[in-house]
Amino acid sequence: NKGFVVDWTILREKENLFENRKENVKYLLGSKYIPLRKEFYKENIQNIIKENVSKIMITFGGSDVRNLTPKILEILNINFPNIKKDVIIGPGFNNLEEIKKHSNNANINLITNASTEQMIESMKTSDIAIAAGGQTLYELAHIGTPTIGILLVENAKADTMGWSKVGFLNYIGTYCDLHLKEKLITAIKSLLTQENRLKAQENAHKYISKNGGQMIVKEILESLNDNI
């Protein structure tokens, strides 16, 4: 009956999940309230949209539950061999040897157990990211890295589809989509255009705040002061 409901899912404030709101409860809804790791609030971590695409980041969480990294890497090696690739290897990956089979050229950089600083550096310097849903999408949006999304698990659907709706994420389907290869190639070719990448970044920044965690604290403190 009293307190706060916090749900920072993208576009949550526009949905009807909290129709019957209680008078003494404050609802903090939407992606502007996303609390990112403190390193993401440093200055000068904005992705600079360059004229040409020279690097793609591949990140599928801590465990790559669908074994998608080697498949995506193979597609990129064949179709975009001259573009560098940052491949993020999480602590739960059990497919490292398979990934290494597709990593035998100088254009591929395997980043194992990446620190927050390493993730930020890769996001900041990559022209395109290929990612699953979840928290990583909000981090990519904050930095402004144009992203291609693939859905790996059902509980990431709201984040993935939300960022797709606002025009930041180029969603190409689920991990088992029979046409995933063709869709990925088409999506990358679309983002080779600087104008399209600039638009994606612009759309991301419309739905992300400078410091979501700070906004939550401010709202709570203001409400407490009003009730004292």
Side-chain angles (χ1 to χ4, degrees):
N1 294 317
K2 290 180 66 178
F4 303 85
V5 172
V6 182
D7 185 343
W8 54 70
T9 306
I10 175 77
L11 295 180
R12 189 64 87 211
E13 74 278 13
K14 299 183 183 297
E15 298 174 355
N16 297 319
L17 295 180
F18 300 98
E19 283 185 314
N20 301 316
R21 298 190 181 189
K22 297 181 179 180
E23 184 178 354
N24 294 320
V25 174
K26 189 156 191 175
Y27 297 83
L28 310 179
L29 309 176
S31 52
K32 67 181 181 179
Y33 290 107
I34 182 75
L36 302 177
R37 290 174 281 180
K38 63 182 181 181
E39 291 86 353
F40 280 88
Y41 297 128
K42 292 179 180 178
E43 298 293 329
N44 302 318
I45 62 168
Q46 176 74 38
N47 183 294
I48 305 300
I49 304 296
K50 302 189 295 290
E51 182 178 355
N52 297 312
V53 171
S54 61
K55 187 166 74 169
I56 295 175
M57 177 189 194
I58 304 168
T59 173
F60 290 124
S63 58
D64 192 9
V65 292
R66 306 300 182 184
N67 191 32
L68 207 54
T69 301
K71 299 171 185 175
I72 297 301
L73 195 52
E74 183 179 17
I75 294 169
L76 296 185
N77 285 342
I78 293 171
N79 294 277
F80 306 96
N82 296 322
I83 295 178
K84 295 178 181 178
K85 295 95 180 170
D86 272 2
V87 184
I88 309 300
I89 310 293
F93 275 49
N94 57 13
N95 56 354
L96 184 54
E97 292 306 314
E98 189 176 354
I99 292 170
K100 286 181 177 178
K101 291 178 183 178
H102 303 287
S103 307
N104 56 355
N105 71 62
N107 279 338
I108 297 173
N109 179 30
L110 301 184
I111 304 173
T112 305
N113 297 330
S115 65
T116 305
E117 288 81 5
Q118 286 175 306
M119 287 294 289
I120 289 172
E121 184 63 21
S122 183
M123 290 178 180
K124 188 172 85 168
T125 59
S126 294
D127 303 288
I128 299 170
I130 302 171
Q135 182 83 359
T136 303
L137 295 184
Y138 295 85
E139 295 172 349
L140 287 162
H142 182 79
I143 290 180
T145 310
T147 301
I148 297 167
I150 301 172
L151 188 63
L152 303 188
V153 292
E154 189 65 22
N155 65 8
K157 189 172 184 179
D159 303 308
T160 304
M161 302 312 294
W163 283 114
S164 177
K165 284 178 183 177
V166 303
F168 163 59
L169 183 77
N170 190 333
Y171 173 63
I172 61 171
T174 65
Y175 70 96
C176 57
D177 192 309
L178 295 178
H179 303 287
L180 194 65
K181 174 183 174 181
E182 292 80 8
K183 289 180 178 179
L184 176 61
I185 294 169
T186 299
I188 292 174
K189 287 181 177 178
S190 172
L191 288 174
L192 292 178
T193 304
Q194 185 183 29
E195 182 182 354
N196 290 344
R197 285 179 281 122
L198 284 168
K199 188 64 177 176
Q201 183 179 88
E202 180 184 326
N203 290 334
H205 287 165
K206 289 177 184 176
Y207 291 88
I208 208 86
S209 63
K210 289 185 177 180
N211 191 326
Q214 191 176 71
M215 288 181 65
I216 294 173
V217 172
K218 182 180 178 183
E219 293 274 6
I220 291 172
L221 290 177
E222 286 179 354
S223 294
L224 291 174
N225 288 333
D226 289 344
N227 291 319
I228 292 176

